[in-house]
Amino acid sequence: MIYKLSFAVALCFSLCFDLCIAESYVLDDKVGLGRTFDGIGGLSGGGATSRLLVNYAEPYRSQILDYLFKPNFGASLHILKVEIGGDAQTTDGTEPSHMHYENDENFFRGYEWWLMREAEGAVDRFIAAVPFHPCIKLERLPWAFPGWVGHGKNWPYDFPDITASYVVSWILGAKHYHDLNIDYVGIWNERNFDSKYIKLLRYTLDKSGLERVRIIASDNLWQPITYSLCVDQELAEAVDVIGAHYPGTTTVIEALKTQKKLWSSEDYSTFNDEVGGGCWARILNQNYVNGLMTATISWNLVASYYEDLPFGRDGLMTAEEPWTGNYVVESPIWITAHTTQFSQPGWTYLQTVGHLVHGGSYVALTDSNGNLTVVIETMTHDHSVCIRPPLLPFNVTAQNVTFQLKGSFVSTVISDGSFTLSLDVDEVYTLTTISTGLKGTYPDPPTSGPFPKVYFDDFNVANPSFSEAPDFADQTGVFEYYINLTDPGPHVFTLRQVVTQMPVTWATDADQTISIIGDYKWQNLTVTCDVFMETVKTGGVFIAARVDKGGQSVRSAKGVFFWVFADGSYKVTNDLVGKTVLAEGLSGTRAYGWHTLTLTVEGQYATGLLNGYPLWKDAVVLGPKNGWAAIGTHSFELAQFDNFAVEAK
C-alpha cells in the first residue's frame, strides 16, 4: 500500500508497476538494524510563538490542536518541546518565568502548561481507544532566565547550583500542579556549554527524584560538547542526547563516536509555503540518512504570533487570527504525517536507507513485528530551501525505482519480494503496512480578516485562564493580569508590568518594556489607556502607535511614543529608546495616581491628551507610516495599565 502526498495536499492511494528501466534498492533487516527512531516534534517557545493560540474560541482552538497532536489525524506529533519562560525577549516575544524573583513561585503563568496538557490529552484520549500507542514526549529548554539567576550578570552559569535549582523547580511544578511528566531537559546558550552545570543539573535531578528525566546537551552545536563527552566520563554519564540546531542534515565524526542519541533538536524555521514544506520533507528524511539523527523538532510548532514579527509564518501551520477564528493547515502538517502516522517512537530504522541515484532519499523503519514503513522524498533544490544553513546545488529528476525486500519482509510484506515505482520530482511517498493513516478534516474555519478597528479591554477578569491579556504580545517585560485588593475603586483589575530587573538573555532586550497589539497596517488611530506608575521620581510609562518592530529587533523600534514620568514631565518620541524627541514639557504626573493618556496619530501629525485635556498637539511625525499599538514602561519597573482602547480609521 502506498500513501502518496503531493503538494496539492491530496492524500490518495496508488500502486505503480513500471516496466521501464529502474534503479534497484534493497530493504533488508537481516543485515542488522539501524538506530531507534525517537520521533518528530514541534517547538513552542524561543519565543512566544504560540502567543495568539490561547485566545482562539472553541471549536477552532481544539481543531488546531487536533491537527498538531491527535494521532492518525494530522501531524500526529510525537514530541512537544516548550520554553521555560525567562521573562526575556527570545525571538518573537517574552514568556513569563515561574519565578520572577528569588522568593517567588507561580506555576500558572503563561500558556505552555496549558499547551502541554492539551497535547497530552489529545494523545491520551486516543490511547484509551488504541492501547499501546506511545505517549507524547515532553521536552523543555530555557532560552533565558530572570535577572536574579545571573546575580546582575548576563550569564546564568556562574552560580550553577542556583540555575539548576531554578530549572528543576519548573519540572517539579509541572508534575505537582499539572500532572505533567517532563521527559527531557535541554541545556543551551549562544556562547558555550558549561560542563560543571550539566553535571550539577544531573545531580539535582536525581536528588529530586527525577532520575527518569534525560538531559539533552548542548542543544545548540555538535561541538565542543562532543569532544568533551569523549574525554570526560562523568559528563558522558550525565548527557543522554546530543542535540544540534539547524545541522543541515549532517553530523560530525566525534558525535557518532560517543554512541549517544543524536537529535536535530531545533530545525526548519522556514516560511510554511510549498518551499517550506519541501524543506521539511527533505530534512525529515536526510537528517537520518546523512546524520543518523533519530528525532527532528520544528521551530516552530504553530505560527501563532503577529506575522510581521521576525520569522513570520515559520510554523508547521498558521493560527494568527484569534479575533476571526481563521487558521490555515499548511503543507508541513501533511509532510509530517508521512512519517508520524506510519511509524512510532521505538520503531527502528533499517540500515538499508540512503539516497536515490537521480536525487532524493528514502528511509525505512520497522516495529520488528512485521510492519514496515518506507518514506521517499524527491525534493528539488529550489523547492526545498530552508532558511538555514545554505543549501548547496543538487539535481533531482523523475525516476523509476525498484525496491527489493529481503530478510523477514519477503514473506510478510509483499509476496513476490519487490515492487517498482515511478517517482516524479517534489513529491513525498509513504509505503507502509500500517492501515490506520487518515487525512483528518474539519469544516473550513471562518474567513480571514484584520484585527478589529475598534478594540477595548478593561482587564476585568477575576479568575483568568491565562496570565496574559488577549492579543497583547509582550516584547520585553511581562504584562500580567493583576488584582489590586487594596484598591476599592474602578482599577481593581488591571494589567501590570512585573519584571523589575533586566533578564539574562541571548537576544537583544530593549531597556524599556513594551507589549504590542493590533494590526501592523494601522496608520491613523487613537490609543487611550489609564496608567499607574509605581516607581517614585524615576518611573515612567508610555502608550504608542505605529510601532514598526518587535521580537529580536524591538530595541530599534520606531513609532510615536507618548511618555509621562513620575517626576511631573512628559515626552513624545519617534523611537522606543527615546532619542528622537518630537515634543516635551511638564505634565504634573506623579507615581501612585491614575492618569488617562490619549494619543491620536493622523497623517504626519500627532496629538496627546492627559486626563482628557490637551497636553501637546501637532507634533510632526517623522515616520514610520504604519505599525502596531503598544504600552510599556520607561525601564524594568512595576506599573499598571487599565481601560485600554484603540480606534483605527
Side-chain angles (χ1 to χ4, degrees):
M1 186 178 294
I2 298 174
Y3 291 78
K4 175 185 175 184
L5 179 68
S6 73
F7 275 96
V9 192
L11 192 63
C12 60
F13 304 97
S14 66
L15 260 179
C16 175
F17 293 91
D18 199 308
L19 300 179
C20 299
I21 297 174
E23 300 290 344
S24 185
Y25 305 89
V26 173
L27 300 175
D28 188 1
D29 60 350
K30 197 170 185 179
V31 297
L33 297 174
R35 295 192 168 208
T36 300
F37 176 57
D38 292 311
I40 308 301
L43 201 168
S44 174
T49 53
S50 303
R51 174 64 194 91
L52 297 176
L53 177 60
V54 298
N55 303 136
Y56 271 79
E58 296 293 356
Y60 310 115
R61 191 169 73 176
S62 291
Q63 292 173 5
I64 295 164
L65 293 167
D66 281 353
Y67 279 116
L68 293 168
F69 299 114
K70 185 178 179 179
N72 294 347
F73 187 85
S76 304
L77 293 170
H78 304 130
I79 302 169
L80 172 60
K81 180 176 180 179
V82 304
E83 176 177 357
I84 292 184
D87 293 343
Q89 166 61 242
T90 54
T91 297
D92 284 295
T94 297
E95 297 195 28
S97 170
H98 64 292
M99 296 180 69
H100 294 317
Y101 322 111
E102 194 165 1
N103 59 350
D104 164 61
E105 278 193 353
N106 185 324
F107 296 95
F108 294 91
R109 295 183 183 125
Y111 42 82
E112 301 295 7
W113 312 105
W114 163 83
L115 184 58
M116 288 186 286
R117 291 196 308 268
E118 290 295 320
E120 277 201 342
V123 177
D124 288 346
R125 289 189 292 274
F126 178 83
I127 293 174
V130 185
F132 311 116
H133 189 284
C135 297
I136 193 167
K137 298 295 184 182
L138 299 177
E139 181 193 348
R140 40 66 56 223
L141 176 72
W143 272 255
F145 300 86
W148 64 267
V149 173
H151 282 255
K153 295 172 62 176
N154 193 38
W155 182 246
Y157 301 121
D158 283 350
F159 302 91
D161 55 334
I162 292 175
T163 304
S165 295
Y166 170 83
V167 169
V168 170
S169 71
W170 188 94
I171 299 173
L172 291 171
K175 178 61 177 177
H176 181 74
Y177 293 98
H178 302 282
D179 197 27
L180 295 167
N181 293 309
I182 306 303
D183 299 282
Y184 297 95
V185 55
I187 298 166
W188 175 85
N189 62 73
E190 276 287 283
R191 290 183 250 170
N192 205 333
F193 75 98
D194 189 291
S195 60
K196 181 179 179 181
Y197 169 69
I198 294 174
K199 297 172 187 177
L200 185 58
L201 178 59
R202 179 73 270 164
Y203 170 78
T204 307
L205 287 166
D206 293 346
K207 185 179 68 172
S208 303
L210 298 170
E211 294 88 352
R212 64 180 296 276
V213 178
R214 306 292 89 193
I215 290 179
I216 302 175
S218 62
D219 214 341
N220 186 14
L221 301 172
W222 296 124
Q223 295 288 20
I225 182 68
T226 52
Y227 171 77
S228 298
L229 290 172
C230 291
V231 299
D232 187 334
Q233 183 61 33
E234 184 182 0
L235 182 64
E237 291 174 356
V239 173
D240 300 278
V241 179
I242 304 175
H245 289 193
Y246 309 97
T249 77
T250 63
T251 186
V252 296
I253 294 176
E254 291 83 359
L256 297 172
K257 288 180 179 178
T258 67
Q259 296 298 306
K260 298 288 185 184
K261 289 179 176 291
L262 307 180
W263 286 15
S264 178
S265 53
E266 183 178 323
D267 216 327
Y268 178 61
S269 190
T270 299
F271 194 76
N272 57 21
D273 57 5
E274 290 191 359
V275 174
C279 156
W280 187 231
R282 177 175 55 80
I283 64 179
L284 283 185
N285 263 25
Q286 296 194 28
N287 275 350
Y288 187 78
V289 170
N290 301 336
L292 294 181
M293 287 167 265
T294 55
T296 298
I297 298 175
S298 165
W299 189 91
N300 51 69
L301 171 74
V302 52
S304 201
Y305 48 100
Y306 290 117
E307 189 169 332
D308 291 287
L309 289 169
F311 306 100
R313 267 186 59 187
D314 277 14
L316 296 178
M317 64 180 291
T318 302
E320 57 188 19
E321 291 185 18
W323 45 88
T324 65
N326 178 264
Y327 62 86
V328 184
V329 183
E330 312 283 5
S331 64
I333 290 291
W334 306 117
I335 294 298
T336 310
H338 268 282
T339 299
T340 55
Q341 289 202 28
F342 309 110
S343 56
Q344 296 298 327
W347 284 42
T348 308
Y349 285 99
L350 302 188
Q351 289 192 27
T352 49
V353 302
H355 293 275
L356 301 173
V357 171
H358 299 290
S361 65
Y362 66 97
V363 295
L365 303 99
T366 180
D367 65 352
S368 298
N369 292 316
N371 284 309
L372 174 68
T373 290
V374 182
V375 184
I376 304 166
E377 59 82 19
T378 58
M379 294 300 125
T380 57
H381 178 279
D382 291 349
H383 210 114
S384 65
V385 176
C386 302
I387 193 171
R388 52 186 150 170
L391 185 61
L392 295 174
F394 62 85
N395 294 316
V396 180
T397 58
Q399 57 197 296
N400 300 317
V401 298
T402 296
F403 285 94
Q404 300 283 343
L405 275 66
K406 295 186 176 182
S408 67
F409 305 124
V410 173
S411 59
T412 60
V413 175
I414 193 168
S415 57
D416 62 1
S418 69
F419 55 88
T420 299
L421 305 170
S422 291
L423 306 179
D424 204 347
V425 299
D426 292 327
E427 291 195 337
V428 183
Y429 303 78
T430 293
L431 302 80
T432 184
T433 58
I434 302 296
S435 60
T436 54
L438 176 70
K439 186 173 185 288
T441 59
Y442 281 114
D444 290 341
T447 303
S448 174
F451 194 93
K453 288 186 175 182
V454 178
Y455 182 91
F456 175 77
D457 195 339
D458 60 8
F459 312 118
N460 287 349
V461 183
N463 296 293
S465 300
F466 305 101
S467 57
E468 302 92 347
D471 307 324
F472 278 90
D474 301 346
Q475 300 303 296
T476 61
V478 173
F479 296 75
E480 297 180 345
Y481 280 117
Y482 179 64
I483 301 178
N484 185 357
L485 299 178
T486 63
D487 187 347
H491 300 293
V492 173
F493 300 94
T494 67
L495 197 66
R496 192 189 199 200
Q497 199 297 116
V498 297
V499 179
T500 58
Q501 185 179 3
M502 180 76 79
V504 177
T505 180
W506 64 274
T508 305
D509 263 300
D511 294 324
Q512 306 79 12
T513 73
I514 177 173
S515 188
I516 61 170
I517 188 171
D519 190 334
Y520 188 77
K521 296 179 181 179
W522 278 346
Q523 296 182 348
N524 301 324
L525 67 158
T526 296
V527 183
T528 301
C529 191
D530 296 343
V531 298
F532 184 91
M533 294 172 278
E534 298 184 46
T535 303
V536 178
K537 294 184 179 180
T538 61
V541 296
F542 69 81
I543 62 174
R546 294 187 185 176
V547 177
D548 69 341
K549 292 180 182 177
Q552 295 172 312
S553 305
V554 69
R555 194 176 185 87
S556 59
K558 296 186 184 305
V560 183
F561 297 84
F562 176 17
W563 309 75
V564 293
F565 300 97
D567 66 359
S569 65
Y570 79 90
K571 185 164 62 173
V572 185
T573 69
N574 217 164
D575 51 1
L576 178 61
V577 297
K579 289 186 176 179
T580 305
V581 178
L582 305 178
E584 58 185 332
L586 297 177
S587 63
T589 51
R590 295 288 185 268
Y592 292 98
W594 283 97
H595 306 281
T596 300
L597 303 184
T598 303
L599 169 65
T600 298
V601 182
E602 189 159 354
Q604 291 183 292
Y605 298 96
T607 301
L609 307 180
L610 174 63
N611 299 326
Y613 296 96
L615 183 63
W616 52 275
K617 63 179 182 178
D618 296 337
V620 178
V621 178
L622 304 178
K625 294 182 178 180
N626 58 276
W628 298 288
I631 58 175
T633 62
H634 177 56
S635 63
F636 285 87
E637 61 187 88
L638 298 175
Q640 297 178 55
F641 302 84
D642 201 2
N643 296 323
F644 176 86
V646 174
E647 184 174 351
K649 295 182 179 180

